[in-house]
Amino acid sequence: MNNFNLKARLSWRDAAVRTGFILATVAAIVWFMPRDTGFNFKIEKDAPWRMSDLTAMFDFPVYKSKDMLDKERTEALKDFRPYYTYNEGMARRQTALFRQQLDSMRLFGAGQLRIVVSNRLSALYSQGIIDTKDPLRGDTSQVVWRVTGETAVPFAVSQALTPKQAYEMLIEDNALHSYEDILKDINLNEFIVPNLTYDSVHSKTAREEIIRSVAPIRKLVQRGQKIISRGDIVDDDTYQVLLSYKQENDVRQDSNGNGLTLAGRALYVFIFILLFTIYLGTYRQDYFSRIRPACMLYALIIVFTLLVSILVGHTLLHVYILPFAIVPIFVRVFMDSRTAFVTHVTVVLICASILQYPLEFIAVETVGGIAAIFSLRELSSRSQLFWTAVIFMVASMATCFALYLIRRGDLTSFDPSNYTYLFICSLIVFCSYPLLYVVEKTFGFVSDITLVELSNTNREILRRMSEEAPGTFNHSIQVGNLAAEIARKIDGNAQLVRTGALYHDIGKIQNPIYYTENQSGGISPHEHLSYIESAQYIIGHVTEGLKLASKYNLPRQIRDLIATHHGQGKAKYFYIKYKNEHPDEPVDDLLFTYPGPNPFTKEQAILMMADAVEAASRSLPDYTEQSIRNLVDRIIDSQVQEGYFRECPITFRDIQYAKTVLIEKLKTIYHTRISYPEEKK
């Protein structure tokens, strides 16, 4: 039955499609991953630590805070002594200039004045004349280093003179009072210049040495040492340790470079996406035959990785607030449980690589996802999604609490914040019901809720069929009941095949009188038609049904059931009649053949078997167990021999189960009833 060969070589198209999915998904995920994943915790001073227990991954120094470091440096700079250079030759040079100017004036009696002024200038320069432009001059009690040649000695600033003080001392000298007339023509201020000048080079060097002598490191934290536990208050000391840890981590990342980190991320993501693609190619090949289902799976992986990257990269809310359970729920509703589990685990493991401490995240989200899968075998009502959200919340919180007890062993520092996030997450899961509709329409799926809605016989097209073609309507209901029982027995989609059965013959609405179940009084319009014309009317109900399905916007899965319920079979009644009456003429088989295609899903094969058997059962002369068994065996064996199920994933075992179900149900439908006696009057 099933021609799928899992070991066959992939076609170039299949290989290209799968390679494209892998590369596009890996590129998107790696691109959106935060560039710095080393330390992504938000540090709040004087607030409880809401993240997991933090342990040092490497040895690192704890740096002093800026205020502490500035305070210690200010204290150390109190012992700082600036350097001043003492110019010994300045006194000789200025004295020589004074003598030179005095000699040029050729004054009588100037010889004694020369001696007195020279001695006074030498004494002033010997005491030291300091530059008033020096900004450090304000503190007269300050001691500086007086540098003479290669020697530096301590020197009190208060012992030095300013140029103004030196000039005043020189003018007010009693020995010069008798020379006032001569000195009026001489500007003594020109000969008084600073000979103690600030040495900026040596002073700056000395200042920097003092600043460097104040160690910026307060202590060392060794690898494996616990920094802070969840629930602890981030005090000043711990705050500085966390900042130092972050600073050291940033330095290490800068020194290691981002190239290898990026390559590691790409390789990590590539491994999981490759394994996920191998799983789909091995066990779910049909998802690649229709691109949109595969697009949904890879899109879910990318979207949730993007959301985690945004939360972590911008240090926003806790990652537990993201509804990861939506991934297995959506995949379970539209696909199957195994694919839901594999997709969910792939998402969780990729997102865990972005987090600082991933083990707790993996445990909580994996348990929550498995609980969601088990609790949602089918989604036919909104209440099921509510209970799924509740079960997910209980399972996630229980896992989180168990890990807390393992890690801490007491309840004194219990932090309810994680449970608050998980509760909000469950509300988001419950409120995600509208997203199901968006995903369904975007990726071409059909949910059980939609199928239940389509099964409502008050819908316009079904109500019209019940009024215009009541026989066809009753036939469709019976076929739906039979097909649903078969689907339950062989693990098919019972709701899909039941809904498809209601619509499989809607094309008969256009000409209901041409079909036996709608005829009454023994009058048939085929009596006035040729066999070819009659066959075209019968075959036409498939194409007309597809037109009505498009008009009423029925899902693709329902349209496929309409198209395949006769496959590429023939309108045998008129075909055989024509061949019997024209034995010597070549017959154009296409005139009597349904457009098809043949069934390519299990549900389509079920509908074909149920439709043929139910229609043929109405022509049985008597309804015994043997006659029903012979009818079912003959019709289904004929379908198998004619190759209708060659492209369909249905097994001989499934077909045998289908026969058994049809026989038992038809026996129940056509069982013999007792005759009620009439009351004698």
Side-chain angles (χ1 to χ4, degrees):
M1 298 301 100
N2 190 348
N3 285 343
F4 293 159
N5 186 359
L6 300 180
K7 297 183 180 179
R9 294 183 60 186
L10 294 176
S11 66
W12 283 105
R13 176 190 174 278
D14 293 336
V17 168
R18 299 177 191 188
T19 303
F21 273 119
I22 293 173
L23 295 180
T25 305
V26 172
I29 291 174
V30 175
W31 176 264
F32 287 118
M33 277 185 169
R35 295 295 179 261
D36 177 17
T37 59
F39 192 92
N40 297 304
F41 295 141
K42 185 177 182 179
I43 307 174
E44 298 180 3
K45 196 173 182 180
D46 299 327
W49 181 253
R50 301 185 183 279
M51 307 299 174
S52 303
D53 295 354
L54 184 61
T55 304
M57 305 298 294
F58 45 79
D59 298 341
F60 69 94
V62 178
Y63 298 96
K64 298 175 182 177
S65 65
K66 184 178 183 302
D67 293 339
M68 180 184 295
L69 199 58
D70 290 344
K71 183 179 180 180
E72 292 184 4
R73 287 173 177 174
T74 302
E75 190 67 25
L77 286 174
K78 290 181 179 179
D79 297 331
F80 169 67
R81 295 178 180 180
Y83 285 79
Y84 280 79
T85 302
Y86 179 71
N87 192 340
E88 293 180 309
M90 185 65 71
R92 294 190 300 272
R93 185 162 52 252
Q94 295 303 110
T95 301
L97 289 175
F98 171 75
R99 290 176 179 176
Q100 184 180 358
Q101 182 176 353
L102 190 61
D103 292 342
S104 66
M105 296 176 65
R106 299 179 181 277
L107 299 174
F108 178 76
Q112 186 63 30
L113 177 62
R114 181 188 303 114
I115 295 171
V116 173
V117 173
S118 297
N119 292 337
R120 299 296 184 272
L121 287 175
S122 297
L124 293 173
Y125 280 111
S126 177
Q127 184 176 352
I129 302 175
I130 195 168
D131 191 356
T132 56
K133 296 179 180 179
D134 173 26
L136 300 177
R137 172 62 184 160
D139 187 3
T140 58
S141 63
Q142 186 175 4
V143 176
V144 300
W145 291 103
R146 176 174 166 174
V147 181
T148 305
E150 299 296 329
T151 305
V153 295
F155 176 77
V157 175
S158 59
Q159 296 176 5
L161 301 171
T162 65
K164 181 179 180 181
Q165 290 174 335
Y167 176 75
E168 291 175 351
M169 289 180 65
L170 183 60
I171 292 298
E172 294 174 358
D173 194 317
N174 293 331
L176 297 179
H177 287 173
S178 57
Y179 299 101
E180 290 181 359
D181 294 338
I182 299 175
L183 292 175
K184 289 180 181 179
D185 298 326
I186 300 174
N187 185 8
L188 293 178
N189 195 41
E190 295 178 358
F191 307 105
I192 299 176
V193 295
N195 68 336
L196 271 175
T197 56
Y198 178 68
D199 188 344
S200 60
V201 176
H202 286 85
S203 298
K204 182 179 180 181
T205 302
R207 184 181 181 88
E208 290 176 351
E209 287 180 356
I210 292 176
I211 292 175
R212 284 196 297 269
S213 66
V214 179
I217 299 173
R218 183 162 56 88
K219 63 179 180 180
L220 292 175
V221 176
Q222 296 181 348
R223 178 181 180 181
Q225 181 177 340
K226 180 174 287 188
I227 298 175
I228 189 173
S229 300
R230 177 184 291 177
D232 292 348
I233 301 298
V234 181
D235 54 17
D236 292 340
D237 182 72
T238 308
Y239 181 79
Q240 198 59 38
V241 173
L242 292 171
L243 287 180
S244 301
Y245 184 48
K246 183 179 185 303
Q247 180 179 345
E248 185 68 17
N249 182 75
D250 293 341
V251 171
R252 286 171 176 263
Q253 284 198 341
D254 292 339
S255 62
N256 293 335
N258 292 325
L260 293 178
T261 303
L262 184 63
R265 290 173 181 167
L267 178 60
Y268 180 85
V269 176
F270 175 78
I271 290 172
F272 284 102
I273 298 301
L274 176 63
L275 294 175
F276 179 71
T277 305
I278 291 174
Y279 160 78
L280 293 180
T282 304
Y283 300 104
R284 296 293 182 266
Q285 287 191 26
D286 54 318
Y287 293 162
F288 285 114
S289 63
R290 295 178 286 115
I291 296 298
R292 290 205 287 182
C295 286
M296 187 197 78
L297 295 174
Y298 289 95
L300 286 174
I301 298 175
I302 294 174
V303 167
F304 275 87
T305 307
L306 170 61
L307 293 175
V308 173
S309 300
I310 293 174
L311 288 185
V312 173
H314 296 82
T315 320
L316 299 175
L317 298 172
H318 198 286
V319 72
Y320 282 164
I321 203 170
L322 291 178
F324 284 92
I326 284 180
V327 174
I329 287 175
F330 282 11
V331 180
R332 176 63 189 88
V333 168
F334 297 120
M335 296 180 180
D336 61 275
S337 297
R338 182 188 294 182
T339 304
F341 175 75
V342 173
T343 307
H344 181 62
V345 170
T346 302
V347 171
V348 169
L349 292 177
I350 292 177
C351 292
S353 67
I354 306 174
L355 305 177
Q356 184 78 12
Y357 295 96
L359 295 181
E360 180 180 342
F361 167 79
I362 293 175
V364 172
E365 295 299 341
T366 301
V367 171
I370 293 174
I373 293 172
F374 288 164
S375 64
L376 193 68
R377 296 187 178 182
E378 61 180 15
L379 183 62
S380 56
S381 65
R382 288 185 291 263
S383 62
Q384 291 175 290
L385 193 59
F386 168 76
W387 288 113
T388 297
V390 171
I391 294 172
F392 161 77
M393 178 182 67
V394 172
S396 301
M397 288 185 176
T399 306
C400 188
F401 184 68
L403 292 174
Y404 170 81
L405 293 179
I406 294 173
R407 184 177 59 254
R408 300 302 294 272
D410 63 80
L411 300 175
T412 55
S413 57
F414 180 76
D415 182 12
S417 59
N418 282 354
Y419 306 94
T420 303
Y421 290 125
L422 290 173
F423 176 74
I424 297 174
C425 177
S426 349
L427 292 179
I428 297 175
V429 170
F430 173 66
C431 296
S432 64
Y433 182 81
L435 286 178
L436 284 169
Y437 179 80
V438 175
V439 172
E440 181 177 339
K441 297 304 179 184
T442 302
F443 297 102
F445 292 106
V446 56
S447 66
D448 287 345
I449 295 177
T450 300
L451 293 175
V452 171
E453 293 173 349
L454 291 174
S455 299
N456 185 357
T457 55
N458 287 321
R459 295 180 68 89
E460 180 183 351
I461 184 66
L462 294 180
R463 189 175 66 252
R464 180 181 166 191
M465 182 166 65
S466 67
E467 295 172 354
E468 300 179 15
T472 300
F473 181 73
N474 292 327
H475 161 72
S476 298
I477 292 177
Q478 291 285 19
V479 170
N481 293 333
L482 294 173
E485 289 298 323
I486 298 173
R488 293 190 187 96
K489 187 68 175 179
I490 64 175
D491 295 328
N493 190 332
Q495 188 60 56
L496 173 61
V497 75
R498 181 191 294 275
T499 305
L502 289 176
Y503 291 91
H504 80 286
D505 276 343
I506 57 173
K508 293 181 178 181
I509 297 176
Q510 302 297 73
N511 297 287
I513 194 62
Y514 286 91
Y515 304 95
T516 307
E517 66 268 21
N518 299 313
Q519 296 171 0
S520 61
I523 300 175
S524 174
H526 293 288
E527 296 175 358
H528 308 289
L529 299 175
S530 67
Y531 295 134
I532 295 178
E533 292 174 333
S534 295
Q536 291 300 307
Y537 273 106
I538 299 300
I539 294 171
H541 84 274
V542 174
T543 55
E544 293 297 331
L546 292 174
K547 291 178 183 179
L548 288 173
S550 299
K551 176 182 177 181
Y552 287 94
N553 198 27
L554 296 181
R556 176 188 53 79
Q557 290 83 345
I558 302 299
R559 295 198 298 270
D560 289 342
L561 288 169
I562 295 174
T564 60
H565 77 276
H566 284 294
Q568 293 178 328
K570 294 181 175 61
K572 287 188 176 181
Y573 178 85
F574 298 106
Y575 177 69
I576 295 173
K577 282 279 191 179
Y578 184 87
K579 287 186 67 176
N580 290 338
E581 293 186 10
H582 304 81
D584 300 328
E585 296 181 11
V587 181
D588 186 356
D589 289 354
L590 292 178
L591 295 176
F592 298 91
T593 303
Y594 286 95
N598 287 327
F600 51 86
T601 68
K602 184 182 291 187
E603 289 74 21
Q604 294 166 6
I606 292 172
L607 179 60
M608 172 180 278
M609 290 186 286
D611 177 50
V613 168
E614 201 285 332
S617 67
R618 296 174 180 269
S619 61
L620 285 175
D622 59 329
Y623 295 101
T624 65
E625 180 177 353
Q626 189 60 42
S627 65
I628 293 175
R629 185 179 301 276
N630 292 338
L631 174 70
V632 171
D633 288 340
R634 176 173 54 82
I635 291 177
I636 295 182
D637 289 345
S638 174
Q639 292 174 339
V640 173
Q641 291 172 4
E642 293 180 16
Y644 294 149
F645 304 142
R646 288 176 183 172
E647 301 300 325
C648 179
I650 192 170
T651 64
F652 285 110
R653 179 174 179 270
D654 293 336
I655 294 175
Q656 192 59 44
Y657 276 131
K659 288 182 179 180
T660 302
V661 171
L662 288 171
I663 292 170
E664 294 301 321
K665 297 299 291 185
L666 289 177
K667 284 166 56 180
T668 303
I669 294 173
Y670 297 114
H671 70 278
T672 304
R673 293 177 173 83
I674 62 173
S675 299
Y676 286 87
E678 294 184 1
E679 182 181 358
K680 295 182 178 180
K681 297 182 181 180

